[in-house]
Amino acid sequence: MHRLLLLGCLWLLAAPPVSSIFQRPTGTPAPLRLQYLLEPLHPTVHTQRGATATLPCVLRALPHNYRVKWSKVEPANYRENIIIITNGLYHKNYGPLSPRVRLRHSHRYDASLTITNVALEDEGRYRCQLVNGLEDESISLTLHLEGVVFPYQPSNGRYKFNYHEAKRACEQQDSRLATYQQLYKAWTEGLDWCNAGWILDGTVHYPIINSREPCGGRLLLPGVRTYGARDKQKDRFDAFCFTSALQGRVYFIRGHLNFKEAGQACRNHGAAIAKVGQLYSAWKFSQLDRCDGGWLEDGSVRYPITTPRERCGGLPDPGVRSFGFPSKEMRTYGTYCFVG
């Protein structure tokens, strides 16, 4: 028994202190830093819809038998979709981005990705990966579109969309479901909305600036409130849509038109009746400011205000005001048209 106690004491004396058990052993190299890829100076690239954007990826040296693989991380399913693979001499494009991407290749160390005619769905996180046997390494970059987030619900009232219907509704209005980052940025810029809505990753949120009883109570702090992930098929909410700059122009035609006459008035000018996302884009990027309610493609009546004034709704903040979905037979409003 005494011999066992003596051996136990000797072991304790020889053992390292507990805090050092989890330290890296002496002589073990630190995690490898980038050897071949340069860290980007600006990991976020800002652009607008319709522009040409380049995501930088530059090698400091050319290893033997290497490949560079570009991919995009999709927030809706957390998958990486391959865009292009190159070995420096040849390359191959993949997926729906294929017709609009190329390698910049301004010199032999340049593997930067250029995207032409940037679309709404191009926003997100991209990865440039050097594939070189056991020494693979990668950098991540974010493509950020300047744009505007707007809440959207159909003519039959609030909380009617499941996830897939919300996604389709945004796309029909020249927009797409917003990401959480886009919704959060819109909240910091003043978006205050009491109805919860789907966003791109399948979660549900609503942004509150002014805490109030119908929106969670006065005691809750302002913020982006969340319902978390919901059943995409069964649960029903509104939608938060995102749109960016237009490749075209929105303008107003004055008149006392019903919905059908409004569409015809636009067609008579070689245009189409504007969609909700197009009106928001014109308000955000072209400073469209009209005090006149006008029909839109979904049957709603809205008007954009950049300079708030008493006789235009009386609200103190800029925004796109809504009269909802009046009877399509009413001859009370003009129409907003879009020409590309």
Side-chain angles (χ1 to χ4, degrees), residues 123-136:
E123 171 153 308
R125 188 160 63 89
Y126 291 76
R127 192 159 76 110
C128 177
Q129 181 182 13
L130 177 78
V131 182
N132 180 37
L134 298 177
E135 297 179 321
D136 294 359

Side-chain angles (χ1 to χ4, degrees), residues 233-249:
Q233 200 67 43
K234 296 179 181 178
D235 290 326
R236 295 187 173 272
F237 297 95
D238 290 346
F240 285 104
C241 305
F242 171 83
T243 192
S244 185
L246 284 174
Q247 292 182 287
R249 182 172 65 93

Side-chain angles (χ1 to χ4, degrees), residues 179-198:
T179 65
Y180 181 81
Q181 290 77 12
Q182 290 164 344
L183 181 62
Y184 185 88
K185 183 174 185 290
W187 169 71
T188 66
E189 295 171 350
L191 181 60
D192 182 282
W193 197 254
C194 205
N195 293 349
W198 294 101

